[in-house]
Amino acid sequence: QQQAHSPPRHYLHPQGQQQQGQQQAHSPLLDTMVPDFWREGKDFFFGRHINMGDLVVVKRADGTMRFAQVSGGAGVGEWQLLVAFHPQAQYLKVQELQIGMPASSSMDLVLQHQHAFDAWNQMEDEEEHCILEQAKNIHRLQDTLRHDHPASKPSAEQDVDMQSWPDMFPMTPAYKGPHLQWPLTLDNARQVLHHIRTLPNEPLHPKYLAQLLQKGIQLFGAMPNVARMEVPPGTNGKVVLLGDTHGQLQDVLWVLNEQGEPSPSTAYVINGDVADRGPNAVEIFVIILLFKILYPQNVVLNRGNHELLSISSMYGFQDEVKRKHEARLFMMFQTFFQSLPLATVLSRRWFVVHAGLPRDPQVTIQDLCRIDRRFEDLPEVPETGEDFMLWDFMWGDPAEQPGIARNPRGEDCIIRFGPDVTRSFLSSTGLEGVIRSHEVPRVERGGGGYEYRHNGQLITLFTASNYRGISRNQGAVAILDQSQQLRFTEHLSPDLSTIASFYAAQGPAATNSAHLPRHQSTAADFTRSNSAMQHEVLAKVEARVLHHKDELQLFWSKLDDGHGRVTLDQWRQGMQHVLALHELQWQWVEKDLVHVHSGKVDYAEFLRSQTPTVRPDALRDVQSEEVNAILAVLDQNKFTVKFAFSYFDPRDSGYVSKPHFKSALASASAAIATKSQAKSLSEQQIQTLVDHVETEPNGTVDWRKFLEAFSWELGAGFHGPAFDCACSIL
């Protein structure tokens, strides 16, 4: 599916009249482009292309939903298009519809997926909020540990001359993978690419990875903060833009197969967030670096928020690097991340940035180029204009309301910005549009890998399809060629094993003339997706309940009807207020969380049902209330505690001495307690853990085993309505 982006040819008023001075569209497509200020709760939604004959889901004025087929032109009517199986359909009124009624279960499936995706996506944002809080804890903890225990500083943090990096990883006869030769040739790069395509789980030797990082730092480091990219010359010249890939190698391999490898005529801009989430970010970085070395002017990688030390150490990239190589390479990646540009100006028209725009409306490109981008992490508390710009570039999200507003992803330093901010930025920079990534386009805006916002001046582009293996979203890339018209292709990538088998059959000389098989979602896929997303949402909500049981008890006790009950609306208010989940659609999740009798909720029964069934053997003699309190703190601050143990385990052996075990818990608890009203471990609880923790014959503690025992997997640590639901799903 492809769509060319061009200026809107006409607008429609809510009553369907054409705006004065605009030409009527002459096309069988209903390609009405509708201003954003009619978006929520209005008659129109910003649209793309809807073909005659498309099967759509429609919403009538009375709120009922039905399937229909488009057969008429744009105009007045009682129907409003909602979400369609056709991935490009969005809200729009049409004059005439042929009504068809497939099985009601199909309608239910569409609506369930929309609700499940919205809730799941919101919990993803809330999880990032919690991660950011732990990142602040880790900053404080790191400073404390370096001051109080300098002798335990991990070797990966020791300063090493970059020129010596490859020498730290001697070649061994056991290595059977591809070899790099310098100067790098296209044939050599393709040998490595074929290895990645066919054996994605057999990593490149760390010596070669260190060499690639060395050269990448030199090449990307020589670029300005805001890179410049033009469409390569020639009739076939094009630029391919990728949004978030998040370690999903299958999507990158799909794009290379469809669009071709980087070359003198094909340039690539990757808009950040390669790291974390998926298992193969290292391999994606290898591909980017190989072709950056071959074609320096035709490959750009912008930095995203997951290319920050705090985020990449908690969301999976650190674990991936340590699993495949060792901790020293993770720190080398951090140096590489500091060399990456913050944004790219494409064809002197488009501003390509990972997340958001600066809140200062007077910022120019020259201002952006003066920022010092050599930082491991963002400042915990932004103070200068540059600090705020960096937070905005890495974390900001668009909103439909004008101005600047708080973003649920995090503290006050993370913003949502309105159409007026986009308009002002484009006016001050002389550019025409913004392309950003950072979030999966929402289902009701099309369910695909891209979406238009802010009157068509801003586009969100997301390349990872079936994100995290459960969402069934399509991924997308944008292509700009000599026509200077943006077009988009969307995909649902096959899995890695299918791709590996395909290229193994093609052989080392495989070219892109043979196309990978396309994958289409089925009703069964959506059913599994809905169940998986619902399972995650419920488990995350229940974990929050356990962390805040006392606050919930206090909130509802003030509203008690005298019989230990509150109304369902009061129950929702407590969940929203105490858990800070104001945007979650509680009507969708509550049926699996709580039992309602005559409109009332027995909140004491509800809180009792949210009790972890996990009980570490080491604490079998400790009272349940104390165990639950310890579990809540350790689970809520798992990354902070993990960092403390890692600090005292410089060789990454998985073991620490018992004194270091106690020091790690004490240091982590002190960092956690710095935040106002945060629950941390008391001295008595720390001593309880020290007294009861299982030790090895040599007296050391297996801290990974400890953390595993004192946390719970999603949905596995509770009993109650959601636990029953999870069991039925499994």
Side-chain angles (χ1 to χ4, degrees):
Q1 297 153 6
Q2 296 185 353
Q3 176 201 344
H5 170 72
S6 57
R9 286 184 288 181
H10 67 282
Y11 290 100
L12 296 179
H13 286 296
Q15 291 75 32
Q17 294 92 351
Q18 189 176 329
Q19 279 191 348
Q20 185 175 4
Q22 299 291 334
Q23 296 182 354
Q24 178 66 36
H26 302 288
S27 169
L29 296 174
L30 304 179
D31 62 346
T32 309
M33 312 275 278
V34 184
D36 276 7
F37 51 78
W38 284 321
R39 187 179 293 274
E40 298 293 347
K42 301 294 183 180
D43 288 336
F44 289 98
F45 206 75
F46 192 84
R48 303 185 199 160
H49 287 172
I50 303 173
N51 290 296
M52 300 300 181
D54 279 350
L55 179 68
V56 297
V57 181
V58 295
K59 179 180 180 181
R60 294 190 291 190
D62 62 2
T64 59
M65 310 273 186
R66 299 182 75 183
F67 274 101
Q69 190 174 36
V70 179
S71 65
V76 298
E78 292 297 320
W79 298 94
Q80 183 184 45
L81 299 188
L82 190 62
V83 179
F85 282 116
H86 187 290
Q88 294 176 342
Q90 303 211 13
Y91 289 125
L92 179 70
K93 268 195 175 180
V94 296
Q95 188 172 30
E96 181 184 354
L97 292 168
Q98 298 287 340
I99 303 302
M101 288 300 295
S104 60
S105 60
S106 298
M107 168 64 80
D108 292 341
L109 187 63
V110 175
L111 299 179
Q112 285 172 12
H113 189 259
Q114 177 180 334
H115 290 312
F117 182 88
D118 281 347
W120 180 78
N121 211 23
Q122 199 225 335
M123 292 307 295
E124 288 281 295
D125 289 348
E126 291 295 334
E127 185 179 46
E128 285 195 329
H129 186 176
C130 297
I131 291 291
L132 281 170
E133 283 301 312
Q134 290 201 61
K136 294 178 180 179
N137 291 342
I138 288 174
H139 279 305
R140 293 188 287 268
L141 175 60
Q142 189 174 43
D143 292 340
T144 300
L145 289 172
R146 285 172 173 169
H147 180 270
D148 296 344
H149 306 277
S152 298
K153 184 177 181 181
S155 59
E157 294 187 14
Q158 305 293 342
D159 295 329
V160 178
D161 180 19
M162 190 174 72
Q163 298 304 317
S164 303
W165 284 1
D167 299 333
M168 299 168 65
F169 309 103
M171 189 66 61
T172 63
Y175 177 69
K176 303 300 182 184
H179 295 271
L180 288 180
Q181 298 176 348
W182 306 102
L184 184 67
T185 64
L186 179 58
D187 285 343
N188 195 185
R190 283 177 170 166
Q191 289 172 0
V192 178
L193 179 58
H194 182 72
H195 175 83
I196 291 173
R197 283 167 163 166
T198 55
L199 297 168
N201 296 317
E202 295 187 13
L204 188 68
H205 194 279
K207 180 184 184 71
Y208 297 137
L209 185 52
Q211 290 175 339
L212 289 172
L213 289 171
Q214 270 184 335
K215 297 181 183 298
I217 291 168
Q218 295 168 358
L219 292 169
F220 283 110
M223 304 178 78
N225 288 348
V226 181
R228 303 278 177 164
M229 174 71 78
E230 300 291 333
V231 176
T235 56
N236 296 324
K238 65 180 179 180
V239 179
V240 182
L241 286 85
L242 278 69
D244 295 21
T245 54
H246 276 305
Q248 295 191 189
L249 176 62
Q250 62 270 28
D251 289 286
V252 175
L253 296 181
W254 172 271
V255 173
L256 292 175
N257 179 266
E258 289 289 303
Q259 302 299 331
E261 304 155 1
S263 69
S265 62
T266 301
Y268 272 74
V269 176
I270 302 96
N271 200 21
D273 276 14
V274 172
D276 289 331
R277 299 291 198 184
N280 294 103
V282 170
E283 285 68 38
I284 300 174
F285 281 123
V286 167
I287 294 171
I288 293 170
L289 288 165
L290 286 170
F291 287 99
K292 177 67 175 177
I293 293 167
L294 288 172
Y295 309 109
Q297 303 305 313
N298 281 10
V299 176
V300 174
L301 170 60
N302 289 339
R303 190 176 187 180
N305 61 304
H306 282 264
E307 280 78 50
L308 296 171
L309 173 61
S310 59
I311 304 302
S312 61
S313 64
M314 288 187 280
Y315 265 102
F317 185 61
Q318 182 182 41
D319 290 337
E320 179 191 347
V321 175
K322 290 166 70 173
R323 183 177 67 253
K324 295 176 179 178
H325 302 292
E326 59 173 273
R328 288 181 296 182
L329 266 169
F330 176 73
M331 297 311 297
M332 294 175 191
F333 266 107
Q334 299 308 313
T335 304
F336 167 65
F337 293 160
Q338 295 181 52
S339 73
L340 300 178
L342 302 175
T344 299
V345 171
L346 176 59
S347 200
R348 288 167 285 182
R349 298 175 59 204
W350 296 91
F351 185 73
V352 184
V353 66
H354 175 67
L357 295 177
R359 64 194 77 189
D360 182 352
Q362 304 303 319
V363 167
T364 66
I365 299 297
Q366 290 71 27
D367 295 330
L368 306 182
C369 287
R370 285 192 285 267
I371 296 175
D372 182 6
R373 73 177 193 250
R374 313 287 173 164
F375 56 88
E376 280 187 343
D377 244 317
L378 298 177
E380 181 178 334
V381 179
E383 297 178 352
T384 67
E386 289 188 1
D387 292 345
F388 282 104
M389 277 193 281
L390 292 173
W391 273 96
D392 296 343
F393 284 162
M394 298 288 174
W395 286 98
D397 289 310
E400 304 319 312
Q401 296 74 26
I404 300 297
R406 183 185 180 278
N407 193 320
R409 288 182 189 260
E411 296 300 323
D412 294 337
C413 49
I414 301 181
I415 63 166
R416 283 174 167 171
F417 59 97
D420 55 323
V421 176
T422 299
R423 189 166 53 249
S424 296
F425 176 80
L426 295 176
S427 176
S428 68
T429 58
L431 299 171
E432 297 178 20
V434 176
I435 301 174
R436 46 89 64 176
S437 302
H438 192 50
E439 61 181 339
V440 186
R442 292 181 62 182
V443 170
E444 69 265 28
R445 298 193 184 111
Y450 71 104
E451 64 175 341
Y452 285 95
R453 305 284 296 274
H454 294 180
N455 298 315
Q457 291 185 309
L458 182 143
I459 299 168
T460 294
L461 180 69
F462 199 86
T463 300
S465 65
N466 193 26
Y467 181 44
R468 294 189 54 210
I470 63 173
S471 67
R472 302 311 297 177
N473 67 292
Q474 295 194 74
V477 297
I479 298 132
L480 187 69
D481 56 23
Q482 294 295 348
S483 71
Q484 294 298 311
Q485 297 294 307
L486 271 182
R487 58 188 174 91
F488 299 86
T489 65
E490 294 182 302
H491 68 273
L492 193 62
S493 173
D495 58 37
L496 264 184
S497 60
T498 300
I499 294 175
S501 298
F502 173 85
Y503 280 109
Q506 295 285 316
T511 66
N512 293 326
S513 59
H515 290 285
L516 284 163
R518 291 184 175 272
H519 181 75
Q520 299 294 332
S521 290
T522 65
D525 290 330
F526 277 105
T527 299
R528 285 191 292 269
S529 172
N530 292 349
S531 296
M533 287 191 290
Q534 182 186 29
H535 173 49
E536 276 204 14
V537 169
L538 293 172
K540 288 179 179 179
V541 170
E542 288 185 310
R544 283 203 169 203
V545 170
L546 184 67
H547 299 156
H548 299 281
K549 287 180 72 172
D550 293 342
E551 297 97 314
L552 287 167
Q553 173 79 31
L554 179 61
F555 185 95
W556 288 322
S557 67
K558 296 176 181 178
L559 305 172
D560 196 313
D561 66 355
H563 301 284
R565 300 177 304 176
V566 293
T567 66
L568 181 58
D569 187 57
Q570 290 169 337
W571 178 87
R572 289 175 190 155
Q573 291 174 17
M575 297 290 278
Q576 290 174 339
H577 177 75
V578 175
L579 306 186
L581 296 175
H582 300 286
E583 298 187 7
L584 189 63
Q585 299 176 14
W586 289 101
Q587 292 86 344
W588 179 74
V589 299
E590 65 196 18
K591 59 184 174 58
D592 294 309
L593 277 173
V594 66
H595 298 298
V596 182
H597 303 285
S598 302
K600 294 291 187 75
V601 174
D602 185 331
Y603 64 88
E605 177 189 353
F606 167 72
L607 291 174
R608 283 194 301 271
S609 73
Q610 309 304 310
T611 301
T613 56
V614 174
R615 183 177 179 82
D617 291 339
L619 297 185
R620 58 183 175 272
D621 298 327
V622 181
Q623 290 185 355
S624 296
E625 293 78 5
E626 187 74 358
V627 173
N628 293 343
I630 292 173
L631 275 169
V633 173
L634 292 177
D635 187 74
Q636 191 174 12
N637 299 280
K638 63 185 74 174
F639 293 112
T640 306
V641 179
K642 178 182 176 182
F643 180 87
F645 285 134
S646 297
Y647 188 90
F648 287 102
D649 182 17
R651 297 185 179 276
D652 198 33
S653 66
Y655 299 93
V656 293
S657 67
K658 208 163 185 180
H660 280 166
F661 175 81
K662 183 175 182 178
S663 295
L665 289 176
S667 299
S669 296
I672 295 166
T674 304
K675 184 187 175 186
S676 134
Q677 298 181 339
K679 294 180 180 178
S680 63
L681 295 175
S682 66
E683 291 185 12
Q684 180 180 347
Q685 289 172 329
I686 292 173
Q687 192 59 50
T688 296
L689 290 172
V690 172
D691 293 340
H692 289 81
V693 69
E694 181 182 348
T695 57
E696 301 298 309
N698 62 0
T700 60
V701 177
D702 184 336
W703 61 264
R704 291 196 182 97
K705 183 178 178 182
F706 167 81
L707 287 180
E708 184 178 348
F710 283 80
S711 61
W712 49 84
E713 294 299 321
L714 289 178
F718 300 90
H719 56 80
F723 181 68
D724 298 336
C725 172
C727 289
S728 66
I729 291 170
L730 296 174

